[in-house]
Amino acid sequence: MGSKRKAPNREARKADAGRPLEIGGGMAKSPRAPIRVDSNVILLLSIFVVALALRLLPIAFCLSNEGIMFSEFDPYYHMRRIVYAVDHFPLLNSFDSYVNYPYGYGISWPPLFDLIAASLSLIVGLGSPGRATIEAVSAAVPVLLGLLSIGLLYYIVKDAIGREAALVAAFFMAVLPASIFRTAFAYTDHHALEVCVSLAMYLCFTRAVASARKEKLSFKSLKKRPLVYAALAGISMAGMVFSWDGAPIFIGVIVAYSFIQYAYDAFRGEDTEHLTVTGFIASLIAVAIVTPFIMACPAGRGFVVSALYLSWFHVLYLAAIAMFFIAMWGLFRLCSNVKAPWFTAPLAALIGIAVLVASARFALPQMFNALEAGIQFLMGSGNVLVTIVEVEPLFSNNGQFSFDVPWAYFSTGGLLAILGFAAFLFTRNWKSLKESEVFLLVWTIMVLLLGLLQKRFVYVLAVNVALFAGFAMYEALKLAGFYEHLPESRGKKASRKRGASITPPMVAVAIVSAILLIPILMSAISIACTMEPYARNWNEACRWVNDNTPKTSYAYSADNGTHPEYGIMCWWDYGNYILYEAERPAVANNFQTGVEDAAHFFIAQDEASANAIMEKRNAKYVMVDYRMGSPWAGVSNGIFENMPYLAGEDSNSYHMSYLMPVPYGSERKLDGSAKYYGSMYSRLFNGDGLGGRDGLGYPTNGLEHYRLIYMTQGKDPVKVFEYVKGATINGKAAPGSKLELWLNVTAPDGDHAYYSTTTAGIDGAYSFTVPYPTSSSSFVKTGDAYTIKSGSSSIQVQVSASAVDNGETVMAGGMQ
């Protein structure tokens, strides 16, 4: 709180204007008042510095000579779109022939985040940014959005509670791990924008409502200040639509708040026209901004109604909100005129909304289906969604009740938030709540439900946890007398006795606060400094593919009608790496495209079935990693069981348990079954496609059309295989005799042998199809010749690279 000064007399100031001050008959300069900086400004800037430092910690591990290593998966597709936007500014691709290869896929992500990053890249790069500039700017955008969000939360809390509480809430948002998680450097994803735009929308709307009430806004008496805030709220609503597919959820918070505010005003017997005018204008402006863009996009031109991507659903949704405000005003005014009980209007409104939604099932089936799909998304239902870890409830970890996620992302801040929310409820004057206070309650309850449903929303819940953790700390400081001893609170005379400001309660609160903050800071630093274990290897492998395999066309012009030459088979978790770093089409990616074919490929029990899928998808390479394995086979956090599940098979048939004899008894062991070790995934990753013996010790032939061409090093290596026609070795041996084939293969992890076996026919003819040429000196080196042995006889066969690539036949000669 700054000191107050008496304003000088306005008329005297006019008379003295432009006249020099005379002292002792001479001329002298007017003395300047010392510049005073509000301590709250200094504290807020300090909070921004702390927030910035924590969010920049990933720089320690994500920078390399090859570029920036972004966090998780989705940022890699954002980077693909940002590069496209820079090349075609201000256009973005609405279709990508590199996704769901070879069929392509319509891109549903709203454009705002990618356009912001592209615009800043063009500005920083002076109109022609290089890849390094684009990556650096895009990596920094979430950090800037995170800092802006902290400032917006400060003003929301300041309006509702006060400056001191706002500062503490801002501090908690600056250090809370769940907030840093999505706003750290190199987390180039739209989630940071969701939070920022939603906070701007909430701040503008609550200020619009508060000023509208104060200035008695009505349809007949429009006032500038509330209208400006309402217009800004409408612009923010439109920005929300362009930020995330789930925008209706965030905008729905305003609708829910408005409904409660209507009911609360009715309970107090107050008029609600100001709220109606505010909400109607805000939603109408949002409709006016969104509609032209929808009309221009493919779904808009096709009159599609879907909540999964920008479509007429969003226009209808915003228009329905505008009508909601008009209907609520008419209903509440009608009930007021007939002197009905205050709860009549809210109850009638709920019944009316239920009837309208039910009617939409028949009158507007597309709209109803879109709403139903949104609910299913929030509930985490659907074959693919149930396999995604982040879609699990907040207190669930791999299907088991757990506090691990809440503790990791909120730490002691979560406990403080519970206490702060209880304190907020206890300290409110329920008969005269401010608009901002009502909003905080409704907003927090809705966000809490959202966070409990899916752990992916921890970054949304982080704002409210920070808010009420800050309120708990604020109340503790206030009870300890901290704010009473501040110089601004005690006046100038008291400020001379600063030594008397420290009291035992303040010391106790300071000690407890430090103890509570230590786990939060430790968790925040841990999250900011922890790299995904698979990221480095996938980046390295994809960059190798980019540099060492044939380039495909239309890398950044992959619109409808383009046909790249080939694709890469992968599990959907890693498709975005391939799209951006390798710049190659991916069969499956993080939009969950191509999942069914990818699942059937990796669980295939025979090579012919896998080959048919490769041909169907025109795939030339396969990329696999350790994490795709099964937890039953000892792979920590393995995801293999999702593959048979999504392929419609029984996942339990791919693992087993058995009793292993041990001294004085037996011990139960877990492992993959014969189906697991016979799957294409296991034969590729565990056996390198070379054959020999599988994980259970059974003999297995090497794959005929898949050769290892690259692998990264480390605990979670990524392996790259090329799908080739293979050379056919024909020869003669004793009828019915068993033949074995070997080829020495040397990879960076050691010496191996390609192995296969067959039986000669009744005419003595035999045949092997092999994927490796002999005398290869590439990444994987091979021996001078294949050795074919039958009994005591053996023969050496050389195979050229052209024979393997073109599917040629090589004659081995006869053996006795």
Side-chain angles (χ1 to χ4, degrees):
M1 296 176 66
S3 60
K4 296 181 179 179
R5 292 184 294 173
K6 185 177 180 181
N9 181 274
R10 187 170 298 176
E11 296 301 324
R13 187 167 62 236
K14 287 181 180 179
D16 291 338
R19 188 173 66 191
L21 184 65
E22 297 183 0
I23 299 178
M27 301 288 291
K29 292 182 179 179
S30 175
R32 294 183 180 179
I35 298 175
R36 301 192 60 169
V37 180
D38 193 331
S39 60
N40 285 281
V41 174
I42 297 175
L43 289 172
L44 188 58
L45 290 175
S46 301
I47 290 170
F48 282 136
V49 170
V50 172
L52 179 63
L54 290 172
R55 283 156 178 77
L56 291 180
L57 286 176
I59 289 177
F61 64 79
C62 73
L63 300 182
S64 68
N65 294 331
E66 291 79 19
I68 293 175
M69 186 167 59
F70 294 90
S71 300
E72 289 196 4
F73 315 109
D74 285 351
Y76 286 87
Y77 196 81
H78 274 293
M79 288 308 306
R80 176 169 169 79
R81 284 193 97 195
I82 291 165
V83 172
Y84 183 100
V86 169
D87 290 345
H88 303 83
F89 194 83
L91 300 178
L92 276 174
N93 58 325
S94 58
F95 184 89
D96 195 338
S97 60
Y98 272 51
V99 175
N100 193 32
Y101 184 79
Y103 309 120
Y105 189 72
I107 306 305
S108 62
W109 278 352
L112 187 56
F113 179 84
D114 300 321
L115 286 175
I116 289 173
S119 300
L120 293 175
S121 297
L122 286 166
I123 293 170
V124 174
L126 301 178
S128 183
R131 183 63 66 90
T133 299
I134 297 172
E135 289 193 349
V137 171
S138 301
V141 168
V143 178
L144 299 176
L145 292 171
L147 297 180
L148 183 54
S149 297
I150 292 171
L152 291 168
L153 178 65
Y154 169 82
Y155 283 106
I156 289 175
V157 180
K158 178 176 175 289
D159 289 351
I161 305 171
R163 288 195 301 177
E164 289 81 7
L167 281 170
V168 187
F171 172 75
F172 271 96
M173 190 168 175
V175 301
L176 203 64
S179 178
I180 295 171
F181 171 50
R182 298 295 196 189
T183 59
F185 185 83
Y187 200 101
T188 305
D189 205 346
H190 54 259
H191 299 308
L193 183 63
E194 295 166 30
V195 173
C196 187
V197 175
S198 65
L199 289 176
M201 179 173 61
Y202 299 152
L203 175 63
C204 293
F205 191 79
T206 52
R207 284 196 168 185
V209 174
S211 60
R213 181 191 296 275
K214 183 178 179 180
E215 300 189 23
K216 301 186 185 307
L217 183 71
S218 67
F219 285 108
K220 294 181 179 179
S221 177
L222 300 176
K223 304 294 177 64
K224 180 179 178 181
R225 181 180 175 84
L227 287 180
V228 169
Y229 276 121
L232 291 174
I235 294 170
S236 299
M237 283 184 182
M240 196 70 248
V241 170
F242 297 132
S243 298
W244 184 49
D245 297 332
I249 300 171
F250 291 100
I251 298 173
V253 172
I254 286 180
V255 178
Y257 154 69
S258 299
F259 178 83
I260 298 300
Q261 188 68 56
Y262 274 117
Y264 185 66
D265 288 344
F267 172 74
R268 295 193 299 183
E270 296 183 1
D271 185 54
T272 58
E273 186 172 357
H274 68 284
L275 178 57
T276 296
V277 176
T278 301
F280 179 74
I281 290 176
S283 49
L284 205 61
I285 288 175
V287 170
I289 295 173
V290 171
T291 302
F293 287 93
I294 299 301
M295 293 175 66
C297 73
R301 293 193 296 270
F303 294 99
V304 175
V305 178
S306 173
L308 298 178
Y309 45 85
L310 290 175
S311 72
W312 284 102
F313 169 83
H314 297 89
V315 175
L316 293 173
Y317 181 79
L318 292 170
I321 293 174
M323 293 301 100
F324 161 82
F325 283 103
I326 297 296
M328 292 295 286
W329 176 55
L331 181 61
F332 275 81
R333 177 153 294 194
L334 175 64
C335 291
S336 176
N337 291 339
V338 300
K339 301 189 183 306
W342 72 269
F343 56 81
T344 305
L347 183 60
L350 287 174
I351 294 173
I353 291 171
V355 171
L356 286 174
V357 172
S359 301
R361 182 166 191 172
F362 305 99
L364 292 170
Q366 278 189 312
M367 189 71 177
F368 181 85
N369 292 338
L371 292 171
E372 189 176 41
I375 294 172
Q376 289 177 349
F377 166 76
L378 290 177
M379 300 303 297
S381 58
N383 285 343
V384 177
L385 285 177
V386 299
T387 68
I388 303 175
V389 173
E390 66 178 19
V391 176
E392 287 184 323
L394 182 63
F395 291 98
S396 176
N397 192 7
N398 293 322
Q400 303 294 321
F401 181 82
S402 171
F403 286 102
D404 290 348
V405 171
W407 181 255
Y409 288 101
F410 300 127
S411 189
T412 52
L415 301 175
L416 280 172
I418 295 172
L419 295 175
F421 188 67
F424 184 80
L425 296 176
F426 181 75
T427 56
R428 296 307 94 188
N429 182 354
W430 291 94
K431 293 183 178 180
S432 58
L433 290 174
K434 294 188 295 185
E435 291 81 1
S436 53
E437 291 176 315
V438 176
F439 175 79
L440 287 189
L441 290 170
V442 176
W443 174 35
T444 299
I445 291 171
M446 290 191 67
V447 168
L448 179 61
L449 292 174
L450 196 65
L452 290 174
L453 284 172
Q454 293 187 20
K455 65 178 66 172
R456 67 181 297 167
F457 292 117
V458 292
Y459 67 96
V460 178
L461 185 55
V463 179
N464 299 74
V465 169
L467 193 163
F468 286 106
F471 184 75
M473 189 73 74
Y474 161 73
E475 284 292 313
L477 292 170
K478 189 167 70 171
L479 287 173
F482 176 81
Y483 295 107
E484 294 177 4
H485 290 80
L486 288 178
E488 290 87 346
S489 302
R490 298 182 300 155
K492 294 181 179 180
K493 292 183 179 179
S495 66
R496 298 171 185 169
K497 302 178 181 179
R498 295 186 180 181
S501 298
I502 301 176
T503 63
M506 290 176 62
V507 173
V509 169
I511 293 173
V512 173
S513 299
I515 293 173
L516 293 173
L517 285 173
I518 288 173
I520 296 175
L521 290 171
M522 290 178 63
S523 184
I525 293 171
S526 174
I527 284 177
C529 293
T530 300
M531 177 184 64
E532 289 83 359
Y534 41 78
R536 190 175 300 280
N537 284 317
W538 273 96
N539 273 270
E540 178 187 333
C542 288
R543 287 167 181 163
W544 185 90
V545 169
N546 194 339
D547 295 335
N548 295 275
T549 63
K551 299 288 184 183
T552 51
S553 304
Y554 316 107
Y556 285 101
S557 58
D559 296 321
N560 209 344
T562 60
H563 301 286
E565 289 78 4
Y566 66 84
I568 295 180
M569 177 63 70
C570 59
W571 189 234
W572 67 264
D573 286 19
Y574 308 113
N576 285 350
Y577 284 118
I578 295 169
L579 290 166
Y580 180 69
E581 293 292 0
E583 294 185 345
R584 301 292 187 271
V587 169
N589 85 317
N590 303 74
F591 299 147
Q592 290 86 54
T593 62
V595 168
E596 186 174 350
D597 279 342
H600 279 101
F601 172 84
F602 286 115
I603 68 170
Q605 298 296 301
D606 62 279
E607 189 174 349
S609 298
N611 295 345
I613 298 173
M614 292 290 285
E615 296 293 335
K616 171 187 174 183
R617 287 286 184 165
N618 192 28
K620 185 175 176 62
Y621 299 94
V622 182
M623 297 181 72
V624 293
D625 79 338
Y626 170 79
R627 182 172 166 267
M628 289 170 60
S630 173
W632 290 74
V635 179
S636 177
N637 298 315
I639 58 176
F640 180 86
E641 267 64 29
N642 292 336
M643 299 177 190
Y645 171 78
L646 292 172
E649 294 194 14
D650 181 12
S651 298
N652 293 323
S653 64
Y654 287 84
H655 53 251
M656 65 178 181
S657 64
Y658 56 92
L659 294 176
M660 173 70 73
V662 295
Y664 310 108
S666 60
E667 181 180 341
R668 183 163 295 278
K669 296 287 186 179
L670 305 176
D671 204 344
S673 66
K675 283 184 71 175
Y676 171 72
Y677 288 109
S679 68
M680 280 295 291
Y681 164 74
S682 182
R683 294 176 72 183
L684 286 166
F685 184 83
N686 295 322
D688 291 338
L690 299 174
R693 294 191 178 274
D694 65 18
L696 297 178
Y698 298 117
T700 180
N701 282 350
L703 296 173
E704 298 178 344
H705 300 279
Y706 300 85
R707 66 179 177 205
L708 179 67
I709 59 173
Y710 184 75
M711 63 184 295
T712 63
Q713 303 302 304
K715 295 181 179 179
D716 186 5
V718 176
K719 300 183 179 182
V720 184
F721 295 84
E722 183 178 8
Y723 176 57
V724 295
K725 292 181 179 180
T728 300
I729 301 175
N730 288 337
K732 287 279 190 176
S737 62
K738 179 182 178 181
L739 297 105
E740 294 180 296
L741 173 146
W742 289 275
L743 175 68
N744 293 328
V745 175
T746 302
D749 63 337
D751 294 330
H752 308 275
Y754 177 85
Y755 173 83
S756 190
T757 181
T758 190
T759 302
I762 57 176
D763 60 350
Y766 68 86
S767 177
F768 291 99
T769 300
V770 296
Y772 290 94
T774 54
S775 301
S776 172
S777 59
S778 59
F779 182 84
V780 174
K781 297 176 175 56
T782 57
D784 296 335
Y786 284 91
T787 298
I788 302 175
K789 182 178 179 181
S790 177
S792 59
S793 300
S794 65
I795 190 172
Q796 303 287 313
V797 181
Q798 294 181 333
V799 175
S800 67
S802 63
V804 171
D805 294 338
N806 299 319
E808 299 171 359
T809 299
V810 178
M811 301 306 298
M815 281 194 302
Q816 298 299 321

